[in-house]
Amino acid sequence: MITGALKRDIDALWTEFWQGGITNPLTVIEQITFLMFARLLDINETRDENRMRRTQKQFKRRFDEDQQKLRWSQFRHLGADEMLPLIRDEVFPHFRKSSTSGSAFAEFMKDAQLMIQKPSLLVKAVNMIDKLPLTEGDTKGDLYEYLLSKLTTAGINGQFRTPRHIIDLMVQILDPKPTDVIGDPSAGTGGFLVQAMQYLLKTYTSPEGVIEETDPDTGKVEKIYTGDLLEDHREHIRSEMFHGFDFDATMLRIAAMNLMLHGVDNPDIHFQDTLSTSFSDKYPQAASEGFDVILANPPFKGSLDFEDVHPGLLRKVKTKKTELLFLVLILRMLNQGGRSATIVPDGVLFGSSTAHVALRRQLLDENQLEAVISLPSGVFKPYAGVSTGILVFTKGGRTDDVFFYDVEADGFDPSRSAFLCNPL
């Protein structure tokens, strides 16, 4: 649970970055992510050292004897003039040269750079991050989600953050199971994968496993779901269930950290343009036969190298429109009987080009299109005002009936209080 005091700490940290000259929200989050990672490495190293003293079993160290000064617990005590050159010239190169954590996030630290140039800002950032509750399971995930809520700018390739309540709706519709393999071919910050994890925790927590905590500032009681009924599936969840792909390395770093802070220790996160010829037909080992669940909000625009698009996709629909190609890709990635909820622009439903018609025919004749949920045009503001809908479909079979829903308001319109869905 993130309290009012914790929100104030995050807001203060955010303000310090802006006053320090770092005003791009994505850069701010990336730099905070790097520093959080540095602290988590030291926390995990300390835990392993304590375990080794109890059990006498050796472990693979993240820091050798001559690298102890690179640990968070060591450099956080330094003054500004000492801390900046040490982190910039030694700590970050250490990240880049070694996969110290054995996690997916370590892979994306290889090109990490410290963008903080002001020594005083770095000291303030380190001191504030040192106070954050990164060892508290549910709180650290909520903390990171609050950070991500400050992303208010869209990327040049049609990327924009999907509102949490829309993600929640899509996850509930698909009802993922603890044995599923879940993917997102345009993962961004990992919101769909994180929410799937949250859904599993809530769904698979016994009444005895629910913990209630009271916000000391507001007095509001919140429930924490421990997922105690997931014990038999923990290993699958930690390293085999979640798979995300994106061609933005910064987004992948954030996605990997987001998942790690939500209890997915080693998510399968790949730097990959999933529409290109380089995207292998052989998916990660856990999903060698395809995915059981795919949740996605693919980019609707952006540059596309037609010559690099996978020929298997072009055989289905010959087009440069990414929203059409991503739907073909998702069908290709799913297991037979696999389910997907995907956000698309209205053009997919009403476009009259040969490619649009071919895709709709494929969805209807070769698969089960179960529902089309039309969303209000303002759902993605301030990122975009385009009208969109959610397609819910299952791979294989054929379509006999389709449910059409028109969402008049999403619960965040000042004049409304909840989803208003009218079947058409």
Side-chain angles (χ1 to χ4, degrees), residues 328-344:
V328 176
L329 171 70
I330 289 169
L331 286 170
R332 181 167 158 254
M333 293 172 68
L334 283 170
N335 273 324
Q336 198 73 7
R339 296 114 52 215
S340 177
T342 301
I343 296 173
V344 299

Side-chain angles (χ1 to χ4, degrees), residues 51-58:
R51 187 180 299 112
M52 182 183 70
R53 281 191 284 271
R54 293 195 307 270
T55 65
Q56 302 302 312
K57 291 183 179 180
Q58 297 294 319

